[in-house]
Amino acid sequence: MTRLYFYLDEPGWEIWQPAFEAAIPGVDFRNYPDWGSPDEGPAYLFAWEPELGLVAKYPNIKAIFSLGAGVDHLTRDPSLPKDIPIIRMSDDGLKEGMAEFVLMTVLMHQRYMPRMLAAQCKREWRRLFPPLASDVRIGILGYGALGKYCAQALKPLGYQIAAWSRSGKAAEEGIEHFSGKDQFESFLKRTDILVGLLPSTPETTNLLNRETMALMPRYASIINAGRGSLINLEDLVDLLDSGHLSAATLDVFVEEPLTEDSPLWAHDKIIVTPHIASITRPKTAAEYVANNIKKIEAGMQPENVLDRQRGY
Ligand code: NDP
Ligand code: OXD
């Protein structure tokens, strides 16, 4: 029998329980705080942002499944045992959802929707004439599971697509690859709409700041669906106010929820969404966890294990 602890920092148990019961027949699926005693035997944990110190109190946890692709909601806990494998979410639902969000927001930026919405608020009949997709250069920051999926979804629309990652990638039709610090500048200089899909690590923190964002062409815009730590928001607002950048869609923030008094809410060149670019869907996520538990039980390596050295 598989014992699976569940921790979600918001309601939702009712929709997760049937999904896991269908994916893992006979699963002993326990919602926090009813996990019982650690002495009952080995368990897996499926969680989003567990209370600090909680995991360390359960030495019977064999592996942690992150409810999201990111892991910062787990690794923020200094007492998290260093030897427990953390498996990052990468189910089909997450990829499809992100591709939908990226398609929607890229099209919005290309078609000047942030400017149209700002004009509508002022009851202005403002006719703007956007470029065609084939004249627009998209730059995807991060070419992992999500970046790759989004690039493939954007391709049929005819955009000029490039991606930037840490390691070099094999040549691919319709996608220009850039990698590492050396090629970051050339990547930014050729990017009209930048899509952030990077994890939060010390290397990606503040990567987009006054100097780097100024390298982007005038009227370039930014969509960030990776992690909030990527962008220095004060610098972003300055570059939007000066007219160097034309718009930003921000889905993720260092502090979530974004506080009510944040000036970002009311900025007419910024669209704020509440970390919903993609959400983990119970059915596909439960199947993903079930497959990986099978692998662990068979002594095989599960997919997408966090590399603690790299931070993702
Ligand atoms: P992956 O681990 O599959 O991909 C990460 C990508 O980032 C890789 O291409 C990696 O390069 C690149 N990368 C990491 N560090 C660097 C660096 N220092 N310099 C250059 N490139 C770097 O992650 P996913 O695609 O699954 O997810 C990406 C992130 O999206 C998650 O970590 C999470 O933070 C965020 N996310 C946000 C959601 C939302 O709703 N807003 C939903 C889901 C995820 P390389 O290929 O060389 O390893
Ligand atoms: C995330 C997610 O990691 O929602 O942000 O998957």
Side-chain angles (χ1 to χ4, degrees):
M1 183 215 29
T2 304
R3 185 174 297 112
L4 182 59
Y5 295 158
F6 178 75
Y7 188 106
L8 184 60
D9 62 341
E10 56 187 45
W13 155 259
E14 317 70 46
I15 54 167
W16 287 97
Q17 188 183 20
F20 275 101
E21 283 173 356
I24 313 173
V27 67
D28 178 7
F29 190 55
R30 299 186 183 184
N31 193 17
Y32 185 76
D34 303 319
W35 287 0
S37 159
D39 300 334
E40 287 179 70
Y44 297 97
L45 168 63
F46 180 61
W48 182 266
E49 209 154 81
E51 285 168 23
L52 297 180
L54 180 66
V55 177
K57 290 184 197 152
Y58 286 82
N60 59 324
I61 295 176
K62 284 169 64 167
I64 304 175
F65 289 91
S66 167
L67 200 140
V71 288
D72 31 321
H73 63 101
L74 295 165
T75 54
R76 72 188 179 120
D77 182 350
S79 70
L80 193 81
K82 300 275 176 278
D83 52 347
I84 304 185
I86 298 179
I87 295 128
R88 303 172 39 228
M89 185 49 61
S90 193
D91 66 315
D92 292 344
L94 200 64
K95 292 181 219 165
E96 280 176 41
M98 186 58 85
E100 288 174 5
F101 183 84
V102 168
L103 276 177
M104 172 185 75
T105 49
V106 163
L107 277 163
M108 284 175 73
H109 282 221
Q110 177 221 325
R111 296 299 305 246
Y112 298 160
M113 273 311 279
R115 279 184 256 177
M116 303 274 188
L117 292 173
Q120 183 184 344
C121 283
K122 291 191 247 161
R123 297 172 177 260
E124 276 175 20
W125 185 261
R126 200 163 158 223
R127 298 185 75 221
L128 299 168
F129 303 99
L132 285 172
S134 52
D135 291 323
V136 175
R137 295 163 298 175
I138 309 294
I140 304 178
L141 273 183
Y143 199 66
L146 298 176
K148 207 177 285 183
Y149 201 89
C150 291
Q152 294 306 329
L154 287 165
K155 244 183 184 181
L157 294 178
Y159 292 109
Q160 299 170 38
I161 304 172
W164 184 74
S165 54
R166 203 171 56 95
S167 55
K169 303 282 176 238
E172 204 178 338
E173 204 189 317
I175 311 216
E176 193 182 353
H177 282 290
F178 293 80
S179 64
K181 285 202 173 118
D182 295 353
Q183 295 177 10
F184 190 49
E185 189 172 325
S186 352
F187 169 80
L188 290 175
K189 284 184 170 164
R190 55 75 60 209
T191 293
D192 299 313
I193 302 178
L194 183 120
V195 180
L197 285 172
L198 284 171
S200 179
T201 70
E203 288 76 35
T204 62
T205 297
N206 235 357
L207 199 59
L208 294 184
N209 53 48
R210 195 175 305 276
E211 288 72 37
T212 54
M213 288 186 283
L215 294 169
M216 297 176 69
R218 191 161 165 77
Y219 305 130
S221 68
I222 294 176
I223 295 160
N224 189 21
R227 280 295 180 265
S229 54
L230 174 70
I231 308 181
N232 180 317
L233 290 176
E234 222 179 280
D235 294 350
L236 173 70
V237 168
D238 285 351
L239 287 162
L240 288 167
D241 289 344
S242 74
H244 182 76
L245 295 179
S246 61
T249 295
L250 305 175
D251 182 62
V252 280
F253 303 88
V254 171
E255 195 188 334
E256 295 181 2
L258 186 63
T259 53
E260 211 183 317
D261 61 356
S262 167
L264 301 175
W265 290 111
H267 198 290
D268 65 356
K269 292 182 180 171
I270 296 179
I271 293 176
V272 169
T273 53
H275 199 144
I276 46 69
S278 189
I279 48 174
T280 303
R281 318 264 163 181
K283 183 174 182 296
T284 47
E287 285 162 5
Y288 178 85
V289 171
N291 285 336
N292 280 296
I293 289 180
K294 267 191 211 147
K295 285 190 178 167
I296 296 172
E297 302 286 318
M300 290 156 65
Q301 173 75 355
E303 293 161 59
N304 234 356
V305 178
L306 167 69
D307 178 335
R308 289 177 194 245
Q309 200 72 33
R310 289 187 324 186
Y312 67 97

